[in-house]
Amino acid sequence: MFANETARYLASRLVTTVLIVFGAMLMLFALTTLVPGDPARTLLGPQATPELAQRFIAAMGLDQPVHIRLWRFFSALATGDLGVDVVSGRPVWTMIRDVLPYTLILTFASLAVAVAAGVPLGIYAATHRGSWMDSGLAFISVAFIAMPSFVVAIFLLLIFAIWLDWLPVLGASRSGEFWDEFKRMILPTAAIAIGWAGYFARLMRSSMLEVMGEPYIRTARAYGIAERLVTYKYALKNACIPAIALLGFGIGRVLGNAVFIEVVFARPGIGRLIYEGISTRNYPVVQGAVLVMVVLVVLVNLAVDLSYSAIDPRIRRDGAAR
Amino acid sequence: MAAPMVSIQDLVVDASTSRGTAHLLRGVSLDIGRGRILGVVGESGSGKSTLASAMLRLLPPNISRLSGQIRLDGLDLVALAPAEMEAIRGRRVAMIFQDPMTALNPLFTVGLQLIDVLRRREPGLRRADELKQAEAMLATVGIPDPRLRLAAYPHQLSGGMRQRVMIAMALMAQPDLLLADEPTTALDATVEAQIVELFDELRQRFSGSIVFISHHLGLVAELCDDLCVMYGGVIVESGPVTEVLARPRHPYTRALLDCEIDDDASGRLASIPGDVPDPLTVLTGCVFAPRCPHAAPRCLQGQPPLMELEPGRRAACIRADEVLP
């Protein structure tokens, strides 16, 4: 009974996923035709002869009519070919593969830290509502949420890397040695995690307070279930659902905004790859990297939706997210 | 006569609201006999749910005053520390709520919720024994395929089935006192009849006392031994259910009965003229005087106490002997 429902649910989610990725690909293709700025001129500089520019345009396939380019674009993607960097000639996929782990680790590490700090703080604030800790946490959370992560990043750098000189300033580890890279990860991770920890704390607090007012919590108390069990078993599971939604949203946002942190800390990453691709009109790089990003975000959201249905049995029956 | 299971003395509950202090219970005194079913009736806002919540000490957070005594077998629940009260809940007192749709946790199976209650009474049972007991209890309350239902989530059950689960949960606790706060109000008429039937069956095998709160006089007449009529945070009349309904001694009870009778005759809802008393006002006269057809000047001189008019019959009306002999 359940297996069938789950299968149908998965199938419908998969169809949406494919549609979103397809839409993203179309928009990426439109980028090359609609965005102003001549890639040949940007890359080759004003001194380029018209012949050279012409050759370059032909090499990129930009002289072909739209439908031919569309066909080439999709047929190449279908075989997993993301094209080559128009400057260096390196395959785009290799370039992405080299920097993607940095962005992924940064994203997951910072959100893991944010959840690990924000969720317990939010539960504490909800269960000690009105205490000075609750008010203090509210103030700090809102302050952290309001500060852009790159501002936090600059302050962290100033304090911990320059004044105190406890941690390395910039970059990723060249040696690839674990402790070196770990130390270099601390500040970028903290810069992202601080604001998100504030989000999670605020969300968990309001979500816990709402759930604690539900009739089923009253039932649990009416039957003398220990308050600890009421909070951490009966209430927490219900209160987690919005936090999981925020996590899904957060992963997308942090991936998309990774560029700020990667630029401030001079770290490699997919955000920086896209940023540099855009500034040089290096379309294959931009297209490939954005596509990989879109697929990642969509997959993360799929995983989030699946974890909802693992937690909330009502979603399994309805077949769609509520 | 044996000492009552529950003896409530001068119970006062106030709540602070944005408009001022609300007087939810204005000095309620009441005995509940051992093994008896007490029906509590009254309009919404009469304080019947507050009375049940007070007996469990599960009042909303805006309560500013709780005074008086609630003696359960001699133990005063009002004076207990929170931890001591927690030990009473789910073991000596259990409650069935009005809306079975929201009273069960949507994310946990029926079996798990039942077993958590069972563990309060019998900790350290083997898993298989816990499941067996939960299954047997579901069978007791008339749930078909009880073994399968243990693994069901609340949303997979109908309203009637969920209320049966709530009743099973209450019985699991084997309480001395079972509070049922309008347990059939949220259900369809046919399902309501089935649940009432279930209560009727259970009273045979259940040894504790039951408080059955309802706004439905007919239902109370069918099910209960004793009746207590509430109005504006006050008990206006109490006594054996058959006697009270056959010969009410308080004008409010009389008016309630007339409403029920008119319902049957014309199919239209009869109602008592006037409004229910505002809980924010301080009583200077009889709580029912503004709506009472028999109100006299001396009725405005203070709320009359609940007086024993004849053995077992009490009413809070100074004109009871004149107007409703």
Side-chain angles (χ1 to χ4, degrees):
Chain A
M1 181 171 97
F2 275 145
N4 192 13
E5 283 167 8
T6 312
R8 202 176 310 148
Y9 175 66
L10 268 175
S12 79
R13 287 305 318 240
L14 217 62
V15 171
T16 353
T17 306
V18 169
L19 284 178
I20 291 171
V21 172
F22 183 76
M25 282 158 68
L26 262 187
M27 286 177 70
L28 284 171
F29 173 77
L31 188 81
T32 55
T33 33
L34 300 180
V35 171
D38 179 358
R41 197 145 294 289
T42 317
L43 282 165
L44 302 174
Q47 279 83 29
T49 60
E51 292 80 41
L52 190 61
Q54 201 52 51
R55 263 217 325 263
F56 184 78
I57 296 278
M60 280 177 86
L62 290 177
D63 53 344
Q64 301 291 325
V66 171
H67 63 275
I68 300 282
R69 278 157 52 200
L70 193 65
W71 166 248
R72 283 187 180 171
F73 179 70
F74 274 104
S75 52
L77 279 181
T79 60
D81 179 10
L82 295 180
V84 292
D85 181 338
V86 290
V87 184
S88 67
R90 290 181 65 203
V92 172
W93 172 241
T94 319
M95 296 169 69
I96 294 171
R97 202 188 51 201
D98 287 348
V99 296
L100 190 59
Y102 290 100
T103 306
L104 286 182
I105 291 171
L106 182 65
T107 302
F108 288 103
S110 50
L111 283 170
V113 170
V115 168
V119 167
L121 287 175
I123 296 171
Y124 182 90
T127 50
H128 297 76
R129 187 184 190 179
S131 66
W132 65 267
M133 272 291 278
D134 181 22
S135 324
L137 279 172
F139 179 79
I140 294 171
S141 306
V142 173
F144 281 161
I145 292 168
M147 256 191 295
S149 58
F150 66 90
V151 177
V152 178
I154 291 167
F155 273 101
L156 287 175
L157 272 177
L158 272 176
I159 299 170
F160 292 101
I162 298 182
W163 295 343
L164 298 173
D165 197 18
W166 286 351
L167 294 164
V169 184
L170 296 172
S173 169
R174 280 172 209 286
S175 60
E177 193 244 333
F178 178 78
W179 276 114
D180 185 34
E181 177 59 17
F182 182 83
K183 276 191 287 183
R184 289 168 189 275
M185 283 280 297
I186 292 176
L187 289 183
T189 302
I192 300 173
I194 278 176
W196 285 96
Y199 268 126
F200 279 105
R202 294 310 289 163
L203 183 79
M204 253 347 255
R205 178 184 182 273
S206 64
S207 160
M208 274 303 273
L209 284 177
E210 193 190 320
V211 170
M212 292 301 261
E214 291 285 343
Y216 51 79
I217 295 301
R218 188 180 141 97
T219 305
R221 287 186 174 141
Y223 282 87
I225 307 291
E227 195 58 30
R228 187 176 37 82
L229 211 58
V230 171
T231 307
Y232 293 103
K233 181 175 174 182
Y234 283 81
L236 187 57
K237 196 172 179 188
N238 285 277
C240 266
I241 294 173
I244 291 169
L246 181 65
L247 185 62
F249 169 77
I251 293 173
R253 282 294 290 270
V254 173
L255 276 175
N257 291 343
V259 57
F260 294 113
I261 296 299
E262 285 164 1
V263 169
V264 171
F265 287 96
R267 288 177 59 84
I270 198 160
R272 233 168 92 117
L273 194 66
I274 293 172
Y275 169 75
E276 284 162 3
I278 291 173
S279 40
T280 55
R281 301 289 191 281
N282 200 339
Y283 290 135
V285 173
V286 177
Q287 284 171 337
V290 172
L291 189 65
V292 166
M293 197 95 110
V294 167
V295 171
L296 272 177
V297 171
V298 168
L299 286 180
V300 163
N301 277 289
L302 183 63
V304 165
D305 283 350
L306 291 179
S307 64
Y308 277 151
S309 59
I311 288 179
D312 191 341
R314 290 168 297 184
I315 291 172
R316 267 172 283 190
R317 190 180 65 161
D318 295 354
R322 287 155 71 102
Chain B
M1 193 180 127
M5 177 61 83
V6 178
S7 176
I8 298 175
Q9 291 298 321
D10 201 31
L11 186 66
V12 175
V13 176
D14 288 347
S16 59
T17 70
S18 54
R19 296 194 298 137
T21 302
H23 306 282
L24 303 179
L25 291 180
R26 304 173 186 261
V28 164
S29 299
L30 174 70
D31 284 350
I32 304 169
R34 274 168 210 278
R36 299 201 47 104
I37 304 190
L38 169 74
V40 178
V41 296
E43 291 162 276
S44 24
S46 60
K48 32 188 215 306
S49 288
T50 306
L51 180 65
S53 305
M55 281 193 252
L56 258 186
R57 290 261 307 274
L58 263 189
L59 292 159
N62 65 336
I63 290 303
S64 54
R65 178 177 173 195
L66 169 68
S67 68
Q69 293 183 339
I70 303 171
R71 294 203 172 274
L72 175 69
D73 228 354
L75 181 70
D76 185 7
L77 302 184
V78 174
L80 287 185
E84 293 171 315
M85 192 61 222
E86 200 177 279
I88 301 281
R89 291 186 198 127
R91 299 180 68 165
R92 301 198 57 194
V93 187
M95 187 152 173
I96 297 166
F97 294 94
Q98 179 170 349
D99 188 356
M101 300 299 175
T102 56
L104 292 168
N105 197 317
L107 303 192
F108 294 93
T109 61
V110 162
L112 185 141
Q113 297 186 55
L114 285 174
I115 286 171
D116 271 351
V117 171
L118 175 65
R119 282 186 187 156
R120 295 264 303 128
R121 176 158 285 279
E122 295 180 60
L125 274 184
R126 284 186 310 142
R127 179 84 184 148
D129 292 333
E130 290 177 338
L131 284 168
K132 200 179 286 175
Q133 285 209 33
E135 185 189 333
M137 194 53 85
L138 287 185
T140 302
V141 298
I143 291 181
D145 295 329
R147 179 175 290 269
L148 260 149
R149 296 289 173 251
L150 284 179
Y153 289 93
H155 75 268
Q156 296 166 323
L157 304 176
S158 67
M161 284 297 151
R162 285 192 227 185
Q163 198 58 297
R164 284 174 197 267
V165 171
M166 271 310 303
I167 294 169
M169 193 182 272
L171 296 178
M172 210 81 177
Q174 300 173 29
D176 298 326
L177 176 64
L178 173 57
L179 307 168
D181 186 3
E182 307 215 26
T184 63
T185 306
L187 304 173
D188 295 344
T190 46
V191 180
E192 177 175 33
Q194 290 164 10
I195 296 291
V196 171
E197 201 176 304
L198 174 62
F199 266 98
D200 215 18
E201 281 168 38
L202 291 178
R203 57 179 304 182
Q204 318 300 334
R205 62 173 79 207
F206 181 70
S207 58
S209 306
I210 301 179
V211 173
F212 191 92
I213 295 173
S214 180
H215 57 246
H216 194 328
L217 265 179
L219 222 128
V220 169
E222 196 177 326
L223 202 61
C224 300
D225 306 312
D226 299 309
L227 175 62
C228 151
V229 181
M230 293 194 71
Y231 183 78
V234 167
I235 293 178
V236 294
E237 178 160 7
S238 69
V241 68
T242 44
E243 291 181 36
V244 175
L245 295 183
R247 190 167 59 89
R249 301 295 310 268
H250 193 283
Y252 178 66
T253 317
R254 172 84 264 164
L256 267 187
L257 276 171
D258 289 345
C259 290
E260 297 264 328
I261 291 161
D262 281 7
D263 271 6
D264 292 343
S266 65
R268 253 186 320 163
L269 262 168
S271 62
I272 307 168
D275 292 319
V276 289
D278 185 347
L280 294 174
T281 57
V282 176
L283 288 187
T284 51
C286 168
V287 66
F288 188 56
R291 294 167 85 183
C292 181
H294 308 292
R298 64 195 172 105
C299 293
L300 303 176
Q301 281 164 11
Q303 168 62 31
L306 192 60
M307 294 169 286
E308 182 145 27
L309 302 174
E310 52 199 281
R313 296 290 308 271
R314 290 162 189 270
C317 178
I318 45 174
R319 300 194 66 197
D321 284 333
E322 295 166 52
V323 300
L324 291 167

